[in-house]
Each structure stands twice: as C-alpha cells, then as structure tokens.
Amino acid sequence: MWLLGAVFPEKGPWWLWQLHEGGVASHCRGGNTSSAGPTPCRRDLTSRAASCLAQSLLLLEARIRNSMKFLLVFDFDHTIIDENSDTWIVKCAPEKKLPNGLRNSYRPGRWTEYMGRVFVYLGDNGIKEDEMERTMTTIPFTAGMVDLLGFIGENKELFDCIIVSDSNTVFIDWILKAAGFHKVFDEVFTNPAAFGSTGYLTVQNFHAHHCAQCPKNLCKRKVLKEFLDKQLERGVSYTQIIYIGDGGNDLCPVMFLKKDDIAMPRQGYTLEKKISQLAQDLSPVECSVLVWSSGIDIMSYLKLLMKE
C-alpha cells in the first residue's frame, strides 16, 4: 500500500510515528510514557489503530483502483463476429434457406418474434441442438478481434467488458466458449434463449421499454444506464466508457455517452453513417468518435490509454 510511509518515511508509517510520539496512547488513562516501553493499553491502542487504518486504506485503494477502470461495451453481430448470428443459423435449414412465407413474415422492430418462428421451422425439420451448435461455432470473428479479446483478457485489471446484443444467450455462449473468450466478458446482455423439452430452441425479448428509437425487445441505452447505476452502487465508476458497435440500434446508447467517452463505430456500417449524418445536421454526439475497421485499431487505442 503506497500510502503507508508517504509522509514520514524515515520514521515509518505516519500513524505509527504519531502514536509513539504520544498521540493516541498519551490519552490512555493510567498509561506510562516512560522509556520502559509501551504499556499493555498503549500496545492495544496501537494495534487497533493500525488495524483500523489498514482496513481504511485497503478500501481507499480499492476505490481508487475501481475509479481508474475503463468500461468496454461491445455489440456482437458484425462487431465481435463478422456475420449476423441469426442469419447464419439458416445454414442449418433444408437447402440452407427459408421458405418465402417465413422469410417475408418479419415486421420492423419485431426481429426476436421473427427468429422464434425461424427456430420453430428448424425444429419442425428435425434440426437438433448439436447440429446448430456445430454450425454456429464456424462463424468467423471480425478481423483483429481475436487479438483484441486476447489483449483485453490479459489486462482485465484495467478493463471491465460487457456485451449488449440483439442476438441471444445460446448463440453468444456457444461462440465465446468455443473460442475461449467467455471469461473476457463480465456480463452479457441479450435475448434469453433455451432448448425446451421438445428440443426446439425458443427465444424471448430481453426486456420491455418505452424508447421510440429502439426495437421492441431491446433498448441498449436502458441496458447501459442500468448497468452503470448498479456498478455505482457497488462503488465502481469508470474513467471512460468505450462503445464498440456497428448497427443502427447502437446509436441510442452512443447518444447517452458523455464528452469524456468514446464511440467506436465500424467503418462503412450503419452506426458510422448515422453519427456522420448527425454531425452534418449540426447535432453531433457529445462523445468523441473513433472509426475502426479491425480489432487491431481498437487495441491500438487501448494501448494508448494504458500509457496515459
């Protein structure tokens, strides 16, 4: 603990120096301050004071360490992986495609409900869990993302890392565990999914919300705000939030970011175009913006943060 000997290093920790100079112990009723050594009362007070201070300093050190952390918020599809996990699963379907009636049943803002119908179709055609898992774990990671996630995993003392995604728990869990990256992420916020007794995969909306900008099942701004509030209750605040995404549904949480935070939209994707349009309309986002095309770009920025 770097604070202990900071004031009077030649005399040892300042609290011990003060005690032996007659501070707390001099008020001990009946205490003896002669050169014969400290009385039992004095020794007891010294010990208790040292223990109390050590505990306080440990708490202070933990608070300082927590306040120096960075929060990395990742989208999943077309960010961590280079495909849409929900459309990738269609490779399991007969002839690797969906019938026109099912494909045309999607309604804007109701993607999760649409995927529920896709999973029923796969189940009706005898597609089992193990086949789906084999297919999903062949999905490619975005360029440089394997290196980036490995780097974050090696520096977890500096980075908290979460996923906020419109995919589902089963797909993300399969993909991260197959690649050995599930421990990189502290939490994953996505639509809950599970295999039922019939062997069919089912998926539900992540939550309810009242945001007019977001699809019915997920508002990423609400997820981020609730996560930050929960962390504050635990005594954790962040030096900077870095939001890494690609899609239109990533704009809502980016609009929540403050001037010291960073939005990192993927180059050429919807999020970058929407942020650029806001700037052209003279209503730019409050945070700084850094465009990326590879996970290596993101890693380079994180390494700069570590040097500051």
Side-chain angles (χ1 to χ4, degrees):
M1 290 182 293
W2 55 270
L3 290 170
L4 287 179
V7 181
F8 301 101
E10 72 281 1
K11 294 187 178 183
W14 69 268
W15 49 268
L16 190 58
W17 168 79
Q18 187 180 45
L19 286 170
H20 280 285
E21 290 293 326
V24 175
S26 65
H27 296 286
C28 177
R29 185 173 299 170
N32 183 352
T33 57
S34 69
S35 59
T39 64
C41 178
R42 187 174 195 170
R43 285 196 299 271
D44 183 56
L45 283 171
T46 302
S47 175
R48 277 188 285 173
S51 176
C52 181
L53 182 62
Q55 291 179 22
S56 297
L57 288 174
L58 283 172
L59 289 172
L60 177 60
E61 187 177 34
R63 181 166 294 182
I64 292 171
R65 185 169 60 247
N66 285 336
S67 68
M68 293 173 65
K69 273 195 163 186
F70 301 95
L71 175 64
L72 305 177
V73 185
F74 281 87
D75 179 37
F76 192 70
D77 292 346
H78 291 297
T79 297
I80 291 176
I81 58 172
D82 205 19
E83 294 285 345
N84 182 324
S85 56
D86 282 340
T87 57
W88 190 265
I89 197 64
V90 176
K91 293 178 179 292
C92 291
E95 300 181 9
K96 298 184 179 181
K97 63 181 182 180
L98 301 175
N100 290 336
L102 175 56
R103 192 169 60 251
N104 295 331
S105 71
Y106 168 67
R107 296 293 176 265
R110 296 180 178 270
W111 181 262
T112 303
E113 296 172 21
Y114 166 73
M115 286 308 302
R117 294 191 291 275
V118 171
F119 296 149
V120 169
Y121 175 77
L122 294 177
D124 287 346
N125 280 274
I127 308 302
K128 304 298 184 184
E129 178 178 349
D130 57 349
E131 182 179 350
M132 295 174 72
E133 182 175 3
R134 281 195 304 271
T135 299
M136 293 309 300
T137 53
T138 65
I139 201 165
F141 281 79
T142 300
M145 200 57 63
V146 168
D147 292 327
L148 171 62
L149 296 182
F151 171 80
I152 295 169
E154 293 169 358
N155 294 279
K156 282 295 292 174
E157 72 280 2
L158 291 175
F159 302 111
D160 281 352
C161 198
I162 65 173
I163 290 173
V164 187
S165 168
D166 205 3
S167 181
N168 67 71
T169 53
V170 169
F171 288 177
I172 293 177
D173 190 56
W174 279 343
I175 293 165
L176 292 182
K177 284 186 176 178
F181 290 135
H182 59 289
K183 292 184 178 179
V184 171
F185 297 96
D186 300 284
E187 293 197 53
V188 176
F189 301 95
T190 188
N191 303 301
F195 285 91
S197 58
T198 60
Y200 285 31
L201 181 60
T202 61
V203 63
Q204 300 175 355
N205 291 344
F206 178 76
H207 61 189
H209 65 84
H210 302 288
C211 177
Q213 301 178 53
C214 292
K216 178 184 176 182
N217 63 295
L218 177 65
C219 173
K220 294 188 177 186
R221 178 200 293 248
K222 182 179 181 182
V223 172
L224 179 56
K225 184 180 184 303
E226 290 177 351
F227 174 79
L228 293 172
D229 289 344
K230 184 174 69 173
Q231 289 296 86
L232 276 176
E233 291 175 1
R234 296 172 174 172
V236 179
S237 58
Y238 296 102
T239 302
Q240 186 177 86
I241 300 170
I242 301 150
Y243 192 100
I244 304 157
D246 71 280
N249 63 352
D250 293 311
L251 182 63
C252 188
V254 164
M255 296 290 287
F256 172 74
L257 301 180
K258 308 306 180 187
K259 64 179 181 178
D260 293 330
D261 300 326
I262 302 288
M264 300 193 77
R266 188 175 182 185
Q267 186 175 34
Y269 282 71
T270 303
L271 179 60
E272 184 202 6
K273 295 173 183 177
K274 285 182 174 288
I275 291 174
S276 178
Q277 186 61 53
L278 286 173
Q280 292 176 31
D281 295 341
L282 303 181
S283 55
V285 296
E286 184 178 350
C287 63
S288 298
V289 178
L290 290 175
V291 177
W292 65 278
S293 59
S294 163
I296 303 301
D297 300 332
I298 302 169
M299 184 166 63
S300 297
Y301 174 71
L302 298 184
K303 286 181 177 179
L304 285 175
L305 286 181
M306 295 172 65
K307 291 179 181 178
E308 292 180 356

